[in-house]
Structures are given as structure tokens and as C-alpha cells.
């Protein structure tokens, strides 16, 4: 997917914006490029319920598919 996404920093900001738009609570992003980790960036967010958290995840998947194919 690296060829489709290009800049993972912008991709992480895009995903965080989706979380904010869906009322994610305490959305936090972490840059892991300085340490040995399986990913370069990670996002953490909470929801008001299990259903809300699942809906936020579903919305990220749909937004990524729409924008990045």
C-alpha cells in the first residue's frame, strides 16, 4: 500500500480527522519512527460505547477505501 499512500504522516492525519469527525474521544497519534516497532505511526481513540468504537473503525475503513482505493 506504500505506493498508493505515499506519505504515511499525511495518511495518519487523514485517519485522525475521520476519528475527530465521528466524535472520537481522546484521539492521540504517536510517531514510532524513532523506535523499533511494526508500524511507523499509531492512532488511539476511545468511544462512548462498543458500538461507537466499532462505527469509528468502520468509518475509517470506508474513508480509506474511498480516498486511497
Amino acid at each position: 500500500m506504500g505506493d498508493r499512500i505515499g506519505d504515511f504522516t499525511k495518511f495518519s492525519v487523514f485517519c485522525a480527522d475521520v476519528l475527530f469527525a465521528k466524535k472520537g474521544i481522546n484521539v492521540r497519534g504517536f510517531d514510532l519512527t524513532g523506535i523499533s516497532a511494526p508500524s511507523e505511526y499509531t492512532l488511539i481513540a476511545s468511544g462512548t460505547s462498543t458500538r461507537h468504537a466499532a462505527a469509528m473503525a468502520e468509518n475509517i475503513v470506508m474513508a480509506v477505501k474511498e480516498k486511497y482505493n
Side-chain angles (χ1 to χ4, degrees):
M1 287 211 42
D3 57 334
R4 291 184 188 163
I5 293 173
D7 185 2
F8 284 100
T9 304
K10 289 181 183 178
F11 178 71
S12 298
V13 170
F14 170 76
C15 292
D17 288 341
V18 173
L19 290 171
F20 281 121
K22 296 301 174 184
K23 309 293 186 219
I25 300 169
N26 292 332
V27 178
R28 301 281 187 254
F30 297 96
D31 181 355
L32 304 176
T33 56
I35 62 172
S36 177
S39 63
E40 293 180 2
Y41 301 94
T42 189
L43 294 171
I44 299 173
S46 296
T48 56
S49 66
T50 303
R51 188 173 186 175
H52 181 215
M56 287 189 302
E58 182 72 26
N59 279 291
I60 288 177
V61 170
M62 289 188 317
V64 168
K65 283 182 180 180
E66 183 179 303
K67 182 167 177 117
Y68 294 98
N69 195 14

